Amino acid sequence: MLAQPDGTGIADLQHRFGQAVLQAPLSVPDGIRRDLGPTRERRFGIYRNNVKASLAAALAARFPVVERLVGKELFTAMALVFIERHPPRSPVLAEYGANFANFLEGFDPTADLPYLPDIARLEWARLVAFHSADASPADIGLLTELPPEMLGSAQLGLHPAMAVIASPWPIVSIWTTNTHDETPQPPAADWTGETALVTRPHLEVFVHRLPQGADRLVAELAHEQALGAATEAASRAHADFDLATTLSTLFGAGAITTLS
Amino acid sequence: MTVDRLPRAGAGLKPEHQRHILDARPDVGWFEVHAENYMGAGGPPHHFLERIRALYPLSVHGVGLSIGSADGMAPGHLARLKAVVDRYQPFIVSEHLAWSTHDGIFLNDLLPLPYTEATLSLVARHVDEVQTALGRRILIENPSTYLRFDGEEMPETEFLHALARRSGCGLLLDINNVVVSAANHDFDARTYLASFPHEHVAEIHLAGHAVLERDGETLFVDTHDRTISLEVWRLFREVIAHHGPRPTLIEWDAEVPAWQDLEGEVRQAQSVLQATGDFDARAA
């Protein structure tokens, strides 16, 4: 929306103020009274600090494992770079940080932790699940009662809070040990990729491990493919695709709401 | 005024206290929530608020509408605020005399406005827009500020009075914000309160602030992270004694204490409201 004629002066002031709040070197924008004396910078600094510290705290609260992996100091530093490059576009703070994982892909200081972006994706999925629409999970009994010849044409409805993140890194193991263990367990010598399932069947958010290829199955189900076609696609993507474990995990975790 | 219709004291609702409130059902008058925390589709926030709303009156306090934005309020956000208000049917809806969004960027703070005729027209137009969209009166809160601008044309109290008259909005008097701004701009809080248009005040906020001292200079910062100062309590008692009781909220948003500590502050505010109510009842 364009500034109204009587709002033009305020528009310029807010533009300067906003730029000065976000930019790294502290400079007080024009238009602020100069008779405030030597505390002028400090006073403007309170606004800068309120904005940046509150956003950095919001990021730390939703990416606690990323913070633990890099340490508080580096996390704060990279959060401030992120805030400057990608300030929030919505007043709903729960929506801030969707592109933090992509930002980490190109963040040189943490290049030695290549799994960091996928950990951030997993943590972001947990936040999204927390605020997602509610739905009642379906019981796996629905599936086991189905005549075998009907399985292939069955349509599975996905829970609105569920998400799947496939990674070439053992993200579920890394997330779990850094969330639940006082001293994180050192990574296994042979790192294999893991596929994470995030669900919120009722009030609590859970993280599970899915078999390799399950991400493909879920992607097909999300496109309303029947179970048979989705299974074929998953098997093509991953030769040893384990359908039985995938389905029992999906149902057991509350990721499925309907079967038709 | 009869005692049973006496405005009561309430508390800002924090996720840390939700389960306890539902279990113990403490004797507080009402709760207030930040609208922006309830704009998601579902999950624990709505689960708990639905249940608490069934037991207590609710006030919805917006912190992100940016009523002072020169480039207008985001229509999408106003629609989301309306959805929260329609769903929870609060007895009060309030927002701030401040801005937080410009050039499409949300600056997650309540930023100050220059008090000019041009700003007044802008804010009054936006308040009217909000009241029309919501189909009800809203309250606008006086801010805590750390800076003032060149070319200001009127004091804050005059700005708020004119805003209330022009837009028909009510006012939310935050006494802690008065104390913070008074310290930062070297004016007398009592003088400010004497010129405040109390006839438009429909809610009072009380909160704690920090005092920053550096190089021999003192700034008050509106932190909401501790107990209410003695000065704020004293001014609150004076305002209630002179202008009558109003629904009064204890805000404690950071370093959130155990529920009992927050409830203690609510009870103290309630006793101030009660004393005036008893006095009025005897006089009637």
Side-chain angles (χ1 to χ4, degrees):
Chain A
M1 197 186 293
L2 288 173
Q4 302 292 324
D6 60 350
T8 308
I10 315 170
D12 289 345
L13 178 66
Q14 290 180 352
H15 177 75
R16 290 196 301 275
F17 201 109
Q19 294 275 310
V21 161
L22 286 174
Q23 277 161 9
L26 173 56
S27 72
V28 180
D30 286 346
I32 288 168
R33 268 169 56 172
R34 293 183 179 278
D35 57 0
L36 299 169
T39 61
R40 201 165 166 265
E41 278 76 17
R42 253 181 84 200
R43 288 161 179 262
F44 187 71
I46 292 174
Y47 291 110
R48 277 170 61 95
N49 186 61
N50 282 351
V51 171
K52 294 197 174 187
S54 66
L55 294 175
L59 292 171
R62 62 201 50 171
F63 299 106
V65 171
V66 172
E67 186 188 40
R68 186 167 182 181
L69 288 166
V70 304
K72 270 192 192 317
E73 204 176 326
L74 180 53
F75 185 89
T76 303
M78 68 194 200
L80 292 177
V81 176
F82 176 75
I83 290 161
E84 205 175 318
R85 287 191 204 160
H86 307 279
R89 297 268 159 188
S90 160
V92 181
L93 217 51
E95 292 162 5
Y96 186 51
N99 52 352
F100 190 60
N102 289 345
F103 162 81
L104 291 177
E105 298 273 7
F107 192 67
D108 284 346
T110 55
D112 59 330
L113 302 175
Y115 44 83
L116 214 52
D118 282 347
I119 296 292
R121 286 186 183 99
L122 172 53
E123 298 202 287
W124 179 254
R126 293 185 74 251
L127 180 80
V128 171
F130 186 84
H131 292 287
S132 289
D134 302 308
S136 298
D139 191 89
I140 196 163
L142 287 180
L143 190 71
T144 50
E145 285 160 15
L146 208 63
E149 66 274 16
M150 303 283 285
L151 265 180
S153 59
Q155 297 274 351
L156 303 187
L158 301 176
H159 193 287
M162 75 93 79
V164 172
I165 301 108
S167 174
W169 311 98
I171 53 169
V172 180
S173 303
I174 296 169
W175 181 85
T176 303
T177 188
N178 281 284
T179 298
H180 298 298
D181 299 337
E182 207 150 304
T183 309
Q185 301 304 303
D190 176 30
W191 280 35
T192 51
E194 288 179 346
T195 300
L197 169 66
V198 174
T199 56
R200 185 179 57 77
H202 186 45
L203 290 179
E204 205 179 331
V205 178
F206 295 97
V207 175
H208 300 269
R209 193 181 288 103
L210 279 173
Q212 302 275 301
D215 57 311
R216 186 61 199 270
L217 180 97
V218 168
E220 297 291 331
L221 295 178
H223 285 99
E224 295 179 2
Q225 289 293 322
L227 184 57
T231 305
E232 279 174 35
S235 299
R236 275 198 303 276
H238 196 88
D240 304 326
F241 175 64
D242 178 352
L243 179 65
T245 304
T246 299
L247 288 177
S248 69
T249 307
L250 288 174
F251 275 93
I256 306 294
T257 52
T258 58
L259 187 144
S260 54
Chain B
M1 178 175 294
T2 57
V3 173
D4 61 316
R5 290 178 61 203
L6 190 73
R8 296 201 60 190
L13 182 64
K14 297 285 121 189
E16 293 88 333
H17 301 146
Q18 291 171 153
R19 285 181 195 275
H20 174 77
I21 290 162
L22 287 175
D23 289 345
R25 306 194 177 187
D27 181 26
V28 299
W30 48 286
F31 286 98
E32 183 164 287
V33 295
H34 290 176
E36 281 69 16
N37 291 339
Y38 297 89
M39 291 183 177
H46 290 296
H47 172 91
F48 286 105
L49 190 55
E50 288 275 8
R51 282 155 182 77
I52 287 168
R53 175 66 186 93
L55 299 171
Y56 295 91
L58 184 74
S59 159
V60 166
H61 189 49
V63 295
L65 199 50
S66 197
I67 278 182
S69 270
D71 47 4
M73 297 173 296
H77 194 69
L78 183 50
R80 294 177 85 175
L81 176 64
K82 180 170 166 51
V84 173
V85 169
D86 288 349
R87 178 169 179 175
Y88 289 105
Q89 297 292 313
F91 76 110
I92 290 175
V93 178
S94 57
E95 251 288 353
H96 299 82
L97 179 59
W99 65 282
S100 50
T101 299
H102 192 72
D103 302 327
I105 293 169
F106 172 64
L107 293 163
N108 201 35
D109 195 18
L110 298 163
L111 301 170
L113 287 164
Y115 299 137
T116 63
E117 198 52 53
T119 309
L120 180 58
S121 309
L122 179 88
V123 174
R125 202 166 60 233
H126 288 165
V127 168
D128 183 55
E129 204 180 309
V130 178
Q131 294 186 139
T132 302
L134 299 182
R136 62 185 291 164
R137 185 178 79 145
I138 64 168
L139 311 183
I140 295 294
E141 177 178 342
N142 60 296
S144 58
T145 59
Y146 309 102
L147 294 169
R148 293 310 330 153
F149 297 97
D150 294 330
E152 295 200 77
E153 296 160 0
M154 63 191 97
E156 188 171 281
T157 48
E158 191 182 321
F159 188 99
L160 286 164
H161 197 181
L163 178 64
R165 277 197 312 254
R166 212 179 277 193
S167 70
C169 74
L171 298 176
L172 195 175
L173 170 59
D174 188 316
I175 296 178
N176 181 58
N177 286 354
V178 175
V179 168
V180 166
S181 293
N184 293 340
H185 305 304
D186 202 21
F187 64 76
D188 178 55
R190 274 200 183 83
T191 308
Y192 177 102
L193 286 169
S195 60
F196 202 86
H198 290 273
E199 66 275 22
H200 296 287
V201 173
E203 183 185 345
I204 290 175
H205 272 182
L206 304 174
H209 61 256
V211 178
L212 292 187
E213 304 227 23
R214 200 187 297 164
D215 309 328
E217 288 183 298
T218 304
L219 284 177
F220 281 24
V221 183
D222 183 29
T223 47
H224 297 191
D225 65 347
R226 63 194 71 193
T227 55
I228 293 154
S229 75
L230 292 176
E231 186 188 3
V232 170
W233 279 122
R234 192 159 51 233
L235 293 170
F236 173 57
R237 279 192 295 272
E238 290 176 15
V239 164
I240 297 303
H242 288 134
H243 304 285
R246 300 285 196 284
T248 299
L249 181 85
I250 308 297
E251 289 185 296
W252 200 324
D253 297 314
E255 310 287 334
V256 175
W259 167 256
Q260 284 67 21
D261 295 341
L262 179 53
E263 189 180 349
E265 298 276 270
V266 176
R267 285 182 184 282
Q268 192 167 341
Q270 185 65 50
S271 70
V272 174
L273 299 176
Q274 201 73 45
T276 320
D278 293 345
F279 177 81
D280 286 354
R282 280 197 306 276

